[in-house]
Amino acid sequence: MSAKVRGVKGTRDVLPVDTYVKSDDPWLRIGHYHLIEQSARELFPLYGYREARTPILERTELFVRGIGAVTDIVGKEMYTFDDHGDMVSMRPENTASLVRAYVEHAVNQQEPETKWWYLGPMFRRERQQRGRYRQFTQIGIEAFGSPGPRIDAEQIELLDRWLRKLGIPFEMHLNTLGDGQCRPKYREALQAYLRAHSAELCEECNKRIETNPIRVLDCKNPKCQEVAAGAPKMEQYLCDPCRAHFEALQKALQALNVAYLTDPKLVRGLDYYTRTTYEAIATSGLGAQSTVAGGGRYDGLVRELGGPDVPGIGFAAGVERMALLVAQQGHDGATKPALFIAPLGDAEAARADQIAQQLRAAGLGVEVSFRKANPGNQLKRADALGARYALVLGDAELQSGRAKLKELKTGAQTEVALDALAGFLRGNA
Ligand code: HAM
């Protein structure tokens, strides 16, 4: 279902509006976005998170240093341009931006622990498919200054509660990537193993052996997966503090009754992670793009970006993926009017506009037809809008001050005085 704008190439974006406009992705509804956003606005402050907003454009260098030059995101997915001598990029994610803001505003000097949440569009030049878009929306949280593992557990519990509340079917996967002490030794062992198996790996993974070997572990190619299955495991290389952190995190999750699976393949696509990583993966309804939310600990990032030695941990969730799942729970995501008014002539139209004004002032949703169409077509429109009642306003109704309200679902008609509409609609909402 797509037509062309003359002379303008389409962006192949998604169009979340409301039920009566069909877009290429008929399941993305703005009402679902609102439901997800509203639940975050209510839930996150209960855990002490305060909303922070940062710019969409940042200097490219921030993402190169923050996310890592050899990641797919920085290597091939950023929208970057020259802004009169400054290279800038549209943010592909928000963690690096929040760390930049945290460092620039010396927030650590004002408070020892900081909890921020955010919502907004992110941009990655990816191959578009269901659940994967070039402009998408993330809702996320970041906590600075808390070394864990209790906060790690608190964040995972928050994510678990949020997704459950929205009826999203998922499993929580958990892993540890070690730290600057133990990961280099693991990386060497993994590289040695992968070099010995290079003939079995895909072209991309052959490059990754030298640049980013742990990413081979989550390659989707079946042959690479076979090699990955036999690879050395991070767990065998963890230093004592990292092992203690991971064990204490699992104990904390058990104490909070949060279900999780440990998953050694959960390596994440960004370079800043240390120790804890976690992802909520949909168990049905999303196909290939099944990761609803992902995150982890990034204890070296604030320092890497020029700040003090302050630890951090967070996650981001993809709102479009969540919206696709929420749609499958039977929420239809539409804002529906209580009443649709179809006036037949000019005098009726003026009266209809006044009635609509009064009802809206009383907090009721009303749509008035601005077209001249026969009552049958007007009722069809009322139905498509999902209106609860329709009212055809003709001369007889104006004269008598009474009209028949038609309930669209049942076809039942009720006669009501025009000046008693608000009370009737409220009583039958
Ligand atoms: P990420 O795993 O790259 O992590 O993205 C988080 C979530 O954003 C994904 O699980 C997915 O739901 C959604 N997402 C990513 N790319 C797309 C896309 N092209 N289309 C639709 N949805 C997408 C981060 O961005 C980290 N900043 C998370 C984090 C916060 N780590 C620590 N703090």
Side-chain angles (χ1 to χ4, degrees), residues 393-416:
L393 201 59
D395 188 45
E397 285 78 15
L398 279 201
Q399 297 308 324
S400 65
R402 300 182 70 79
K404 281 202 179 118
L405 278 189
K406 181 170 182 180
E407 186 172 23
L408 286 148
K409 219 184 244 161
T410 60
Q413 306 228 30
T414 316
E415 197 178 299
V416 183

Side-chain angles (χ1 to χ4, degrees), residues 40 43-45 47-50 94-95 98 114-119 138-144 151-152 154-159 162 278 294-296 298 312-317:
L43 184 66
F44 295 4
Y47 289 73
Y49 288 88
R50 287 165 289 155
N94 213 17
T95 309
L98 286 195
T114 295
K115 283 172 157 180
W116 284 342
W117 77 271
Y118 55 86
L119 177 165
Q138 279 188 348
I139 294 182
I141 62 174
E142 311 292 348
F144 300 101
I151 184 125
D152 308 28
E154 188 188 80
Q155 285 194 349
I156 295 170
E157 194 269 334
L158 180 160
L159 177 59
W162 185 37
Y278 58 101
Y298 45 87
I313 179 165
F315 75 73

Side-chain angles (χ1 to χ4, degrees), residues 1-55:
M1 222 208 49
S2 71
K4 293 256 154 38
V5 178
R6 204 178 314 129
V8 182
K9 242 179 150 182
T11 57
R12 297 179 47 219
D13 62 346
V14 291
L15 176 67
V17 272
D18 230 330
T19 45
Y20 51 91
V21 174
K22 291 192 177 59
S23 72
D24 283 350
D25 203 332
W27 289 107
L28 279 171
R29 298 270 171 252
I30 202 69
H32 297 143
Y33 283 59
H34 291 168
L35 191 80
I36 294 161
E37 290 167 12
Q38 190 51 30
S39 64
R41 283 203 173 89
E42 285 168 14
L43 184 66
F44 295 4
L46 301 184
Y47 289 73
Y49 288 88
R50 287 165 289 155
E51 189 179 353
R53 298 191 189 190
T54 54

